[in-house]
Amino acid sequence: MPRFSVIVPARGVQGYLRACLDSVLEQDRPDGDLLELIAVDDCSTDATGAIIDEYARRDPRPVALHLRRPSGAGPSRNAGAALARGDYLLFLDGDDTLAPGALAAVDARLRACGDPDVLLWDHERTDVWERRRPGGDGALLRAAGDAVFDAASRPAVLGVTPAAWNRAVRRDHWTGRGLAFADGPYEDIPYAYESLLTARRVAVLDRVCVTWRERRRGSAATTPGPHHLVAVERYEDLFARLDGLLPETDEGAEGAAGEEAAADGGRLPPRAVLHARMTERLLAMLDDPDRILPADRAAFFRAASRCIRRHRPAGAPLPAALRSYRAYRSLHGARDLRRELVRELRDRGGAAARTAGRRYYGLRRHASLDPDLVLYGAGGNRAVSGNPYAIYRKAQEIAPQLHGVWAVHEDARDAVPAGADHVTVGSRRYWELLARATYLVTDGDFPGAARRPGQLCLQTHRGTPLAATGLDTHRLPAAGTAPGPGRVLEHADRWDFCLSANQHSGEIRERAHPGAYETLATGFPRNDRFATATAADVRAVRAALGVRPGATAVLYAPARGLPGGAAPPLDVARLAAALGPRFQLLVRVHPHDRAQGAAPELRRACLQDDGAVLDVSGHPHVEDLCLAADALLSDFSPLLFDYAVLDRPIVVHTAGWDAFRLTRGAYVDLLSGEPGDTPGVLAQDEAAVAGAFHSGRWDGPAAASLRAAFRERFCRYDDGLAAERVVRRVLLGEDEPLPRLPPGERRTAPSPRVAERALTQEDGATRTLTGPGAVVG
């Protein structure tokens, strides 16, 4: 039988769950049978359940349990405990982690104490900045020392944080005492105290074993509202049953522990310790704006005050703030006044710095929203392209009542297609539309925007994250080129919806851009073009770009340049010469580098008269470039993930990979050669790239096998219906998601070779019909 059963309830934690499960499975235990991991999927709508299944398939220790209906953390833990076989039960939330070596230390301490009913340990807390600080229980744990005791003899132990994840409970104690988590918020309060009050033998481990994550959004604890009143109900129920929970006094070794009680409150009776701890916690909640809204404060005060008064032990002091709500407001009014004064001065300073347009925006934000107005932005508001453009086109088709307007900078007005309404960023009309549009759709941000109640902001993103993004960038050498952490959080707080191109994207974004938004696993709308384009479309795009009939077109799309040119792009002139006349290079310089005037050698090569190198950097739609290409050649561009949807060959230029990982970070090891990581052939320089094409390896069976695994991992959501899903869910408010097409029912745009064969067949059929003896009409 396993020594430990670690139970992980999980719902909506796809960005953190892998780290949690890895922290359990990587514990330094010599025998894998000593560990059982039960991961409970509480009907998650994101990739949480899929991650659990993935771990269960590749490791015999995890047990996947999928609940049939959403139940909450408490019932999820109870369901996991019902399956547990271990000597001890440990509970770990899906966004927390076990410290390295924690289970070995817990096991050693349990054996040294003769396997007590409960073992408590310390924890640390981490925030979105990954700053760690002590959990606050160290002094209480150190005071207990090596003693084995019960709560009656050492009541101070009841002051330890009442949580599910800071203790191991013997399974016989769990079942024998009928322990369980409550249903609803603050479900761990009954379990935390009852596990100690009913235990005859308790021990402690003065060691940090768990890192508890403070979520900005997405948990009940960080969502303000009246549900926090449940905490008062939990304490009311606990005190109502307190006398029946205390065990009979043991005259043995455990009872002797009372003689060792320190002056830390250990001699106070359990009721007094619990009351003091409850009072402290309820008052802290009352003062926490992330829990108690101003509108709920009076009701919470009255409920908390009644509970504290009702269960106050004789002689226990009553905080002055609890004499009346007026007294509470008086004591805390000075502090609130100081906060409001600071805020007012800050706002005045900001208003003085605002332009007239921004002041106008502030005024118009009080006007009613236009329910049919959609404001679009793309490419830093310098393009009409990408995911926002695909959504715009689909909205015109199935929701013509919606009026879409593009926000563009003055120098980018030429990017707006004929007939599309647009507004110049910073103009009076821009501030008007930004204030009154019900829907904001962007792959970046709208300058000057502030969150307004009733507005819905959709963040489409520009690609699947390969390099570090969001909060993950702030410790990297290239962090100076990225938005600061505060800006990242400010932006994420404006979003209501975020698009996910694949499971990988959803996991990364929710961790690196934490917020209260909803992740939509739709696929990328811009990639719908890869499913809808016909052979005629492919031929037309190639002709418009200047691709010679029969030529093998290679789209070379390097990633954005590294600081200081640490990874220079390929020499395209030399590469074109090495490839020979059967090939044409379509060179797309990254938009940022093009705007900065970077990569001049690429531009010079594109001016050659032989047509071997075509400059397609200015083409507004990268999807068309992908359709025109027989193969993609790139280094570490996110375009790799989109192009894989087409199931066409990919060659990865590997020079500079070490520098890229060092300065930018990398979520996927493109060079590992493992299925799912590497999308195709790897090549170090121009000669290796040319060799891959001349040898046929670029389109050989080994490359096809790698590409298939890469597509399975990163292209599962793209079925040609992403834009319609987004329009129906976000702009039309439909709750039922459009189902994904099964793989066998999806279509992919034909390759250029197939498209040209189709043209030959069409020409042959036409000649047959119109030749001698043909019947026409």
Side-chain angles (χ1 to χ4, degrees):
M1 301 297 287
R3 178 67 163 161
F4 299 113
S5 292
V6 181
I7 299 160
V8 179
R11 177 177 173 81
V13 290
Q14 63 178 5
Y16 307 97
L17 185 57
R18 291 183 186 275
C20 172
L21 301 182
D22 288 342
S23 75
V24 177
L25 296 174
E26 293 172 0
Q27 290 291 309
D28 51 349
R29 297 296 308 165
D31 186 348
D33 290 338
L34 292 177
L35 171 65
E36 174 185 61
L37 171 59
I38 302 175
V40 185
D41 171 27
D42 186 20
C43 298
S44 294
T45 57
D46 62 2
T48 293
I51 295 171
I52 290 173
D53 289 339
E54 175 190 332
Y55 274 73
R57 284 194 301 268
R58 71 187 192 197
D59 191 313
R61 293 172 294 172
V63 175
L65 174 59
H66 298 276
L67 301 185
R68 295 183 177 181
R69 52 181 174 272
S71 302
S76 295
R77 294 192 187 105
N78 295 338
L83 297 180
R85 299 175 300 122
D87 297 334
Y88 281 88
L89 306 182
L90 285 72
F91 298 95
L92 187 68
D93 289 345
D95 51 2
D96 301 336
T97 55
L98 274 181
L103 287 188
V106 168
D107 184 44
R109 181 67 179 136
L110 288 171
R111 296 183 188 280
C113 297
D115 283 356
D117 296 324
V118 180
L119 179 72
L120 299 169
W121 53 71
D122 204 357
H123 69 283
E124 65 180 4
R125 298 172 178 241
T126 184
D127 57 16
V128 294
W129 317 104
E130 299 296 331
R131 295 176 300 199
R132 298 174 183 264
R133 65 181 190 275
D137 292 333
L140 283 173
L141 298 175
R142 286 190 292 274
D146 294 333
V148 178
F149 51 88
D150 62 14
S153 61
R154 188 180 290 274
V157 75
L158 298 173
V160 171
T161 301
W165 32 258
N166 61 355
R167 65 200 66 203
V169 173
R170 194 161 52 85
R171 186 160 58 92
D172 289 346
H173 180 54
W174 168 277
T175 56
R177 294 291 186 172
L179 300 177
F181 290 90
D183 185 2
Y186 297 94
E187 75 289 341
D188 48 1
I189 289 178
Y191 162 77
Y193 288 119
E194 290 179 27
S195 65
L196 293 175
L197 290 169
T198 59
R200 299 180 65 83
R201 306 180 73 251
V202 179
V204 303
L205 172 62
D206 183 15
R207 174 190 169 113
V208 171
C209 293
V210 170
T211 299
W212 181 76
R213 183 179 300 278
E214 295 177 335
R215 299 272 297 279
R216 296 184 67 243
R217 303 287 188 271
S219 67
T222 57
T223 303
H227 63 276
H228 291 284
L229 277 166
V230 174
V232 180
E233 298 175 16
R234 299 287 188 227
Y235 282 112
E236 288 277 16
D237 180 65
L238 176 67
F239 274 90
R241 298 182 296 111
L242 185 57
D243 291 337
L245 294 174
L246 289 171
E248 298 178 4
T249 303
D250 190 341
E251 300 297 335
E254 293 79 13
E259 302 298 326
E260 304 171 10
D264 61 354
R267 296 186 184 278
L268 290 175
R271 186 179 297 273
V273 175
L274 281 175
H275 185 269
R277 189 73 174 98
M278 174 185 71
T279 302
E280 176 187 1
R281 187 174 189 186
L282 293 181
L283 288 179
M285 291 174 61
L286 183 62
D287 290 339
D288 186 352
D290 289 334
R291 296 177 187 252
I292 310 301
L293 293 169
D296 300 325
R297 189 165 293 153
F300 188 92
F301 174 87
R302 288 191 292 269
S305 178
R306 284 195 300 268
C307 181
I308 292 171
R309 290 171 179 272
R310 181 180 296 120
H311 303 293
R312 180 165 62 112
L318 182 69
L322 292 180
R323 292 171 185 164
S324 67
Y325 188 56
R326 178 179 296 179
Y328 167 79
R329 294 185 61 181
S330 175
L331 289 172
H332 292 266
R335 183 190 60 194
D336 294 340
L337 181 62
R338 286 194 298 271
R339 289 177 178 172
E340 291 180 10
L341 181 60
V342 169
R343 187 182 305 113
E344 181 180 350
L345 292 175
R346 183 185 63 216
D347 291 345
R348 286 180 181 177
R354 292 190 188 106
T355 63
R358 288 177 181 262
R359 289 196 294 271
Y360 178 69
Y361 171 58
L363 292 174
R364 298 307 295 161
R365 280 169 51 82
H366 297 288
S368 59
L369 292 170
D370 184 337
D372 296 328
L373 180 59
V374 188
L375 189 64
Y376 293 91
N381 301 109
R382 285 184 163 82
V384 177
S385 61
N387 291 317
Y389 182 63
I391 295 168
Y392 167 80
R393 293 289 300 273
K394 183 57 66 172
Q396 286 185 313
E397 176 187 336
I398 66 175
Q401 74 277 13
L402 298 177
H403 178 57
V405 182
W406 285 91
V408 293
H409 287 285
E410 178 69 31
D411 58 357
R413 296 175 64 182
D414 291 343
V416 182
D421 192 3
H422 68 281
V423 63
T424 302
V425 172
S427 66
R428 185 181 181 89
R429 184 176 180 235
Y430 169 77
W431 296 114
E432 168 79 19
L433 299 183
L434 186 62
R436 299 201 58 205
T438 296
Y439 307 100
L440 306 177
V441 179
T442 179
D443 60 9
D445 194 25
F446 290 106
R451 188 177 182 89
R452 179 182 178 183
Q455 278 186 327
L456 293 177
C457 180
L458 168 64
Q459 173 57 252
T460 72
H461 296 296
R462 299 178 189 176
T464 292
L466 173 59
T469 183
L471 297 182
D472 290 346
T473 66
H474 75 280
R475 290 199 182 103
L476 293 169
T481 66
R487 190 74 177 273
V488 169
L489 300 180
E490 178 186 345
H491 285 181
D493 284 344
R494 297 175 189 165
W495 306 338
D496 295 283
F497 301 97
C498 281
L499 299 191
S500 173
N502 41 59
Q503 180 178 321
H504 162 85
S505 296
E507 294 179 33
I508 296 299
R509 298 289 187 192
E510 290 190 10
R511 187 186 70 247
H513 300 266
Y517 55 81
E518 178 182 351
T519 298
L520 302 179
T522 59
F524 269 169
R526 71 185 184 203
N527 292 345
D528 289 353
R529 177 92 165 122
F530 299 154
T532 59
T534 64
D537 293 330
V538 173
R539 294 194 299 266
V541 170
R542 284 169 67 92
L545 294 174
V547 178
R548 296 188 300 264
T552 298
V554 179
L555 174 60
Y556 175 40
R560 178 174 173 175
L562 289 171
L570 292 165
D571 186 319
V572 294
R574 189 161 59 210
L575 176 59
L579 286 173
R582 292 190 300 111
F583 293 84
Q584 277 185 288
L585 282 178
L586 312 180
V587 182
R588 179 184 184 267
V589 179
H590 190 280
H592 178 271
D593 292 338
R594 183 167 178 260
Q596 299 298 318
E601 68 281 1
L602 296 182
R603 296 197 302 277
R604 285 195 297 271
C606 293
L607 296 176
Q608 300 293 328
D609 293 332
D610 58 2
V613 180
L614 300 177
D615 182 5
V616 296
S617 303
H619 196 285
H621 303 296
V622 70
E623 308 87 58
D624 286 348
L625 304 181
C626 293
L627 287 173
D630 294 270
L632 172 67
L633 169 62
S634 186
D635 39 24
F636 321 122
S637 169
L639 188 59
L640 293 166
F641 302 97
D642 300 284
Y643 191 81
V645 176
L646 285 168
D647 197 17
R648 300 181 188 175
I650 297 173
V651 177
V652 181
H653 174 218
T654 62
W657 175 246
D658 290 339
F660 179 88
R661 290 198 299 181
L662 176 65
T663 57
R664 298 273 185 86
Y667 295 121
V668 180
D669 188 357
L670 292 177
L671 275 58
S672 73
E674 295 294 324
D677 287 349
T678 303
V681 174
L682 305 178
Q684 175 71 17
D685 52 25
E686 294 89 355
V689 172
F693 281 98
H694 290 313
S695 67
R697 290 189 299 112
W698 69 292
D699 199 13
S705 177
L706 286 172
R707 187 168 68 250
F710 194 79
R711 293 180 73 243
E712 172 65 20
R713 180 179 178 187
F714 295 109
C715 305
R716 193 178 300 177
Y717 295 174
D718 289 301
D719 62 353
L721 298 174
E724 184 173 352
R725 283 193 191 93
V726 173
V727 171
R728 292 191 180 281
R729 176 67 182 90
V730 178
L731 304 185
L732 298 180
E734 297 180 6
D735 292 330
E736 289 296 325
L738 198 64
R740 291 194 198 113
L741 288 178
E745 298 180 17
R746 302 181 187 186
R747 68 175 301 273
T748 304
S751 69
R753 283 175 285 183
V754 172
E756 290 191 1
R757 284 200 299 269
L759 178 61
T760 301
Q761 294 169 356
E762 291 168 6
D763 288 345
T766 301
R767 285 193 294 272
T768 299
L769 286 172
T770 59
V775 178
V776 181

